[in-house]
Amino acid sequence: MKNVLFVCSQNKLRSPTAEQVFAGWPNIETSSAGTNNDADNPLSAEQIEWADIVFVMEKAHRSKVQGKYRAALKGKRLICLHIPDDYDFMDPGLIRLLEAKVPRHL
């Protein structure tokens, strides 16, 4: 079983969509969080420690995660998907992007 964490800013659109899209995949546990303090589910060190792979949507998220959780990231894969904040929750275009980019890293 692989634990996969998806991270965006507010945990309202991109990362919850990714969590839902990949939740049904075999041998994968998914979760999501946001880098902002007022995110629906703010990112914590415990979530990073739980994850085998952390996917972030933008370079800014990668920088925040690396800066705040460097110790928890030891031995983890941190992958930037380069998906801008241009999509609604479960947007078909966002789902297509996620399905094209995420599986090659799993």
Side-chain angles (χ1 to χ4, degrees):
M1 187 67 71
K2 203 176 279 188
N3 294 335
V4 181
L5 178 63
F6 296 97
V7 178
C8 66
S9 298
Q10 291 288 359
N11 191 228
K12 291 182 191 226
L13 305 173
R14 292 172 289 173
S15 60
T17 296
E19 177 181 12
Q20 194 164 326
V21 166
F22 294 101
W25 282 44
N27 302 316
I28 294 177
E29 286 290 324
T30 60
S31 187
S32 66
T35 57
N36 293 0
N37 292 333
D38 61 346
D40 282 3
N41 179 26
L43 183 61
S44 69
E46 291 76 26
Q47 289 168 305
I48 300 276
E49 289 163 4
W50 168 85
D52 297 306
I53 303 173
V54 179
F55 287 101
V56 296
M57 300 297 158
E58 300 174 29
K59 285 190 228 176
H61 303 136
R62 182 173 55 201
S63 295
K64 280 186 179 182
V65 171
Q66 286 173 325
K68 192 169 181 182
Y69 301 104
R70 186 163 303 282
L73 282 167
K74 291 255 189 281
K76 312 282 180 180
R77 291 172 57 209
L78 178 62
I79 298 159
C80 182
L81 296 172
H82 304 284
I83 298 177
D85 193 8
D86 295 339
Y87 302 94
D88 290 324
F89 178 69
M90 296 305 288
D91 182 301
L94 174 57
I95 292 170
R96 278 193 300 279
L97 265 178
L98 290 165
E99 288 176 336
K101 292 181 174 219
V102 171
R104 68 179 79 145
H105 299 287
L106 293 176

